[in-house]
Amino acid sequence: MATLARPEGGQGDAYRRPNIASADVQLPAVRDYEQVDNEIIATMKPTGGWFAGLGLAIACMLIGASAWVYQIYWGLGQAGYNPPLMWGVYIITFVFWVGIGHAGTLISAILYLFRAGFRTTIYRVSEAMTVFAVMTAGLFPIIHIGRPWKFYWLIPYPNWRLIWPNFKSPLVWDVFAISTYLTISTTFLYIGLIPDIAVLRDRETNPVRKRIFSILSLGWRNSDREWRHFARAYLFLAAFSTPLVLSVHSVVSFDFAMGLTPGWHASIFPPYFVAGAIFSGFAMVWTIAIPMRRWFGLRHYITLNHLDATAKVVLFTSLVVGSAYLIEFFIAWFSGVPAEIEYFYNRVFGQWWWSAWILLICNMVFPLSLFSQKLRRNTTWLFILSIIINIGMWYERFVIVVPSLTHEFEPWQWSGYVPSWVDMCFLVGSFGWFFMWFLLFCKQLPVFALAEIKEIIPPKLRESHKHDDHIDVTGRHQPYERNVPGEFA
Amino acid sequence: MQGVLAAFRELDAAVHAIEELRSKRLGDLTIYTPTPRHEFEDALGHPSSGVRKFTLVGGLLGVTFGYWIAIWTSEYWPLIVGGKAIASWIPYTIIGFEVMVLVGALSTVFGMFYLARIPRLTMTVGYDPRFSHGDYGIFVAAAPDKFSSVEEVLRRHGAAEVRGER
């Protein structure tokens, strides 16, 4: 929890700062703890719109599930692969969803370590998004192997012939990275939820739900002993998750970068993939959070300041990925390798020009609008931009996978690719699967972190003191530095 | 366990009560708070959590296992390609790192559960649902003969409710 930011200079009556870095996180319209509980728990009441959304998501999911049954029956040939192109929509969508999953852990772990206050109200939404996005991503390699019931062959377990996976293969690294990421992000989400589930348990009147919440809250009592160990464990989980975020998409990029295929064999891939993942993940946070704050009437929790701060992250990552695109062209030219130069020319002026231009315009041009503060604080524009970015990022993966495989070294190998209807059904199904889980989550558990939001609300005091007078909430006269970056709005 | 439980609406009142209870050594204190506050940490003066030891041991075990499984399996079934080393530590670093994070994080969670005494099967005495909502609670584990003096301190500092728990 955020209170772990123990002020430098010791304890007690020494030099102190407020409990949390409060830059851009002030919630002036939120008065007390009761309001937090009432308003956020009220979002868990199902509405007609929610049922409609869930029905649509389940319908989309069933389209994907039907396509999977069809493919299992008729074989992987239904996937539209065209040798030598044997990676198509499945791998593109896999990388896309892994990328979506990155913003959640970035917000909940990395921004936590950096004491970026704007994470407080959006981190639960994005953490849940991470778990469901990685769950979605994890399906695609299993679908792609054609015999999904054999997926466990990639896990190192002592079978009767002692055949082990090849640990030098990036595909095995992927298995370790993604499964670790899913496990840790789920654990991180659940650990953060425990105090909030205890709140639900204590307010619940339905005996069945109360019993379920009692089990899930593990008997949490909000005692000082629990908070002390909880806060330390949360810090360490954040510390583990931070390099994990960076490693996972780096490892995903190794799937490509370890190959000799033109367009893939680049050392820039790991940072470029990580930046792209954060870019697309934040866009998906907007896609979810902007309608949510409107439908739930919680604009005073996810304020324009929060969205403004996230927009700056999106702008920064857009500039990073934009630079990476341009550097790729430069490196291709500078390498002097004919296949590489040919491939990059083909990317923008040849067979796949349309996909590359969609990518460049969506990911490099439109996000430049975020230099305008007016647009950074315009929720309609941010929502539209989030859709544009998500389309652009899906095409980024398309541009990496398809043009490279269809335009390798030997001209006689050059081919084309048209996704089949089965591919498209899986793409639709993946969105249905993701939103189904998300919609179910947001009606069963709080999508805003109750305990952390309470942490940034001024506590009720017997004797009113002002922070401005250098008197802390307990009445001690203790000076703290004003205008420390990141501490005050 | 027996003692006195008090609910406070205001943070500063609870902190002042804790300070006086500690100075008078009236019994072991358990504080309930809907959200963690430095003020309580400072007033109670507990040492920092021992979760870090679980994290360290878990991380070391994880990284050792990650490298070991990759190296042992390579040696067990060697695939010699171009005379290169059978066990190659550079790619195995990825496995070592991922398993370190996995085992280290899970052992951190285990350490938290162990030290915080959760999962707790019963709520026992000394808890009130309002402590997860907005009030601060102080439970003083004390013998019945000290109840009156504990109650006096708690009420003087503005407790909204005080009750004996047995």
Side-chain angles (χ1 to χ4, degrees), chain B residues 121-136:
Chain B
L121 299 178
T122 60
M123 299 302 279
T124 67
V125 296
Y127 180 73
D128 193 288
R130 73 180 88 173
F131 299 149
S132 65
H133 181 53
D135 284 4
Y136 306 98

Side-chain angles (χ1 to χ4, degrees), chain A residues 127-366:
Chain A
E127 244 178 15
M129 181 193 83
T130 289
V131 171
F132 301 133
V134 178
M135 271 168 57
T136 312
L139 290 176
F140 279 91
I142 296 172
I143 294 167
H144 171 76
I145 59 179
R147 295 185 188 183
W149 50 93
K150 304 285 191 194
F151 77 95
Y152 62 90
W153 282 9
L154 280 164
I155 299 166
Y157 69 99
N159 60 61
W160 65 278
R161 288 198 295 174
L162 286 175
I163 297 174
W164 299 95
N166 177 11
F167 287 104
K168 291 172 192 165
S169 162
L171 300 182
V172 174
W173 304 344
D174 241 9
V175 172
F176 274 76
I178 302 289
S179 53
T180 301
Y181 192 50
L182 180 60
T183 310
I184 301 306
S185 35
T186 310
T187 307
F188 205 39
L189 172 67
Y190 178 60
I191 295 296
L193 269 168
I194 290 174
D196 292 356
I197 298 173
V199 176
L200 300 179
R201 174 199 65 200
D202 290 343
R203 290 172 65 104
E204 187 59 61
T205 50
N206 179 316
V208 176
R209 284 174 64 86
K210 195 176 184 75
R211 175 56 62 92
I212 293 170
F213 287 138
S214 296
I215 294 168
L216 289 176
S217 64
L218 308 175
W220 180 267
R221 302 199 306 169
N222 296 288
S223 70
D224 58 296
R225 169 194 282 269
E226 288 166 349
W227 280 122
R228 188 157 55 96
H229 299 300
F230 175 92
R232 185 57 62 169
Y234 199 83
L235 176 74
F236 284 128
L237 283 177
F240 270 130
S241 302
T242 298
L244 186 65
V245 173
L246 305 181
S247 85
V248 171
H249 227 55
S250 299
V251 167
V252 171
S253 82
F254 292 160
D255 290 346
F256 303 100
M258 292 288 153
L260 298 175
T261 308
W264 287 4
H265 196 58
S267 55
I268 198 176
F269 265 35
Y272 152 46
F273 267 54
V274 171
I278 294 163
F279 181 52
S280 61
F282 266 86
M284 191 59 104
V285 169
W286 285 347
T287 310
I288 292 169
I290 290 173
M292 191 179 270
R293 71 193 280 276
R294 181 172 178 161
W295 291 335
F296 292 158
L298 296 177
R299 291 175 205 189
H300 50 300
Y301 285 91
I302 302 179
T303 63
L304 289 180
N305 283 343
H306 292 83
L307 295 174
D308 192 345
T310 54
K312 287 172 186 165
V313 177
V314 170
L315 176 60
F316 173 71
T317 47
S318 164
L319 295 174
V320 173
V321 293
S323 307
Y325 299 149
L326 300 180
I327 289 168
E328 275 194 299
F329 288 106
F330 169 76
I331 295 293
W333 167 78
F334 192 66
S335 71
V337 177
E340 200 78 19
I341 295 168
E342 167 73 22
Y343 161 76
F344 275 95
Y345 183 83
N346 184 45
R347 181 191 271 195
V348 281
F349 300 116
Q351 189 180 3
W352 301 105
W353 66 270
W354 51 274
S355 59
W357 284 105
I358 289 175
L359 148 76
L360 294 171
I361 291 169
C362 289
N363 293 351
M364 282 178 70
V365 178
F366 280 108

Side-chain angles (χ1 to χ4, degrees), chain A residues 16 43 46 80 98 103 277 287 373 419 448 479:
Chain A
R16 289 182 60 87
T43 64
V98 176
T287 310
Q373 191 189 43
F448 294 82

Side-chain angles (χ1 to χ4, degrees), chain A residues 375-422:
Chain A
L375 289 174
R376 282 203 307 271
R377 302 175 78 83
N378 182 327
T379 53
T380 309
W381 171 243
L382 292 183
F383 183 74
I384 294 168
L385 186 62
S386 76
I387 305 292
I388 292 172
I389 290 171
N390 279 318
I391 292 171
M393 288 308 292
W394 192 86
Y395 270 99
E396 182 195 297
R397 281 72 189 233
F398 181 94
V399 165
I400 290 167
V401 172
V402 173
S404 283
L405 289 174
T406 55
H407 209 90
E408 283 199 56
F409 297 98
E410 306 288 351
W412 61 268
Q413 280 192 320
W414 293 350
S415 63
Y417 172 65
V418 179
S420 71
W421 66 268
V422 175

Side-chain angles (χ1 to χ4, degrees), chain A residues 3 6 16 19 37 162 168 202 218 221-222 224-225 227-229 247 451 454 460 462 473 476, chain B residues 11-12 19 31 33 35 37-39 41-42 47 49 76 86 98 115 120 123 127 132-133 157:
Chain A
T3 49
R6 187 176 286 283
R16 289 182 60 87
N19 283 318
D37 281 351
L162 286 175
K168 291 172 192 165
D202 290 343
L218 308 175
R221 302 199 306 169
N222 296 288
D224 58 296
R225 169 194 282 269
W227 280 122
R228 188 157 55 96
H229 299 300
S247 85
K454 285 175 185 173
K460 197 179 281 183
R462 199 174 181 194
V473 291
R476 297 187 187 91
Chain B
L11 176 65
D12 51 349
E19 285 170 345
I31 311 305
T33 166
T35 185
R37 307 284 325 182
H38 276 320
E39 292 81 5
E41 289 175 42
D42 292 348
S49 165
Y76 189 84
I86 296 166
E98 301 294 344
L115 295 171
R120 186 186 299 274
M123 299 302 279
Y127 180 73
S132 65
H133 181 53
H157 282 287

Side-chain angles (χ1 to χ4, degrees), chain B residues 5-9 130-131 135-138 158-162:
Chain B
L5 181 68
F8 285 83
R9 300 251 160 79
R130 73 180 88 173
F131 299 149
D135 284 4
Y136 306 98
I138 299 178
E161 186 187 331
V162 181

